[in-house]
Amino acid sequence: MTTIARPIILLTVCAWALSAATPLAATEHFASVWFDVRTSGPINRGSEPGPWRYSLLGQFRYYDTPVSIRQWVLRPGIAYRIDSRFSVAAGYGFHRSMLDGFDEHLDEHRVWQQLQWNMAYWGGAVLKSRTRLEQRVPSGLSGTGFRLRERLRLESRFGPEIQWKFIIGVEALVNLRNTSWTTRGYSETRFFTGFGLDMNSVNVETGYLHQRSHLSRIADQVNHVLVLSLGF
């Protein structure tokens, strides 16, 4: 077995284990499309870039559910690079969801903090961990939801001179408290596999995201998502 195959198998097993551990419930399947544009870079101090970085993500999500959902996301953040392996970040997220045929919309405000860790390197591959804590405040609903998200992501280039890379990742989302709109415990799992292309200062990623959401008292929902991401 090649060295790079081990983390790929590990992530696949993690995704299977998370799915197997979810409550046994009826499941509904839907198609979705996510498109985002993101930018990030150093916050310069003089002529040399310092450890501080900014980031900004804008995203559109479409869910082809019985009542089609359109969602817009805006997520600015600031990060501090501790060393070559660790960085910490914090920011704000605005989510607006609209249902087709309805004039009203639901807004959600999120404050988040995260730790990113480049866990291991294998030649042209890197295994990354991202741990994020979110404080979620939806409009019109009472209570602040606290959610923990843990993501493992492997990026592997096809060769030293090749700009294409293979990406595989798994993420678990857990609610940390009960509110009028959240139930403590498992909330969602996401499994992603796809490809990325680095072109000078532009990065493109596309692939398939399997998103399984546990909805209390009703059937679980699985979204089969086509993802397209553009970064610069």
Side-chain angles (χ1 to χ4, degrees):
M1 181 184 297
T2 62
T3 304
I4 192 60
R6 296 190 182 99
I8 294 176
I9 294 174
L10 173 62
L11 289 175
T12 304
V13 170
C14 287
W16 175 85
L18 287 171
S19 298
T22 58
L24 294 177
T27 305
E28 297 181 340
H29 295 258
F30 304 103
S32 304
V33 176
W34 293 8
F35 172 72
D36 69 64
V37 178
R38 50 195 162 78
T39 183
S40 64
I43 301 175
N44 291 333
R45 292 190 307 182
S47 59
E48 295 294 330
W52 293 97
R53 296 180 62 87
Y54 70 89
S55 65
L56 178 64
L57 177 140
Q59 187 176 64
F60 172 75
R61 303 174 181 177
Y62 176 78
Y63 297 90
D64 188 22
T65 55
V67 179
S68 297
I69 301 174
R70 291 166 292 156
Q71 188 176 74
W72 288 266
V73 179
L74 182 65
R75 186 186 302 128
I78 188 169
Y80 181 83
R81 183 176 180 269
I82 300 173
D83 55 29
S84 61
R85 286 183 176 267
F86 291 94
S87 66
V88 291
Y92 165 77
F94 174 76
H95 293 239
R96 169 163 289 184
S97 302
M98 300 185 68
L99 305 180
D100 283 355
F102 293 84
D103 294 331
E104 297 181 354
H105 57 265
L106 174 65
D107 292 341
E108 182 180 324
H109 304 274
R110 298 182 186 178
V111 178
W112 54 269
Q113 308 83 35
Q114 77 177 33
L115 170 68
Q116 180 148 315
W117 172 27
N118 295 338
M119 300 175 64
Y121 296 88
W122 297 271
V126 57
L127 178 64
K128 300 178 180 181
S129 166
R130 188 191 72 185
T131 304
R132 178 180 291 174
L133 179 64
E134 297 175 327
Q135 297 84 53
R136 309 170 60 198
V137 182
S139 59
L141 298 175
S142 62
T144 299
F146 285 76
R147 187 167 69 177
L148 181 65
R149 304 173 56 163
E150 175 60 35
R151 187 186 75 177
L152 293 176
R153 173 179 162 114
L154 176 71
E155 301 176 4
S156 177
R157 293 191 177 276
F158 290 103
E161 304 299 327
I162 300 177
Q163 296 176 314
W164 286 93
K165 60 185 177 184
F166 171 70
I167 305 168
I168 186 172
V170 59
E171 183 176 21
L173 296 81
V174 179
N175 291 323
L176 300 181
R177 63 179 300 196
N178 293 321
T179 68
S180 63
W181 55 282
T182 60
T183 302
R184 183 177 179 180
Y186 161 75
S187 169
E188 185 180 322
T189 53
R190 299 179 181 181
F191 177 76
F192 175 81
T193 182
F195 300 93
L197 175 63
D198 295 323
M199 301 176 294
N200 297 323
S201 60
V202 178
N203 169 263
V204 179
E205 294 181 3
T206 187
Y208 166 73
L209 174 68
H210 181 94
Q211 178 192 34
R212 183 185 182 104
S213 300
H214 176 57
L215 307 175
S216 181
R217 301 184 184 91
I218 61 176
D220 284 7
Q221 179 173 310
V222 173
N223 294 307
H224 303 278
V225 186
L226 173 63
V227 177
L228 179 60
S229 178
L230 175 64
F232 59 93

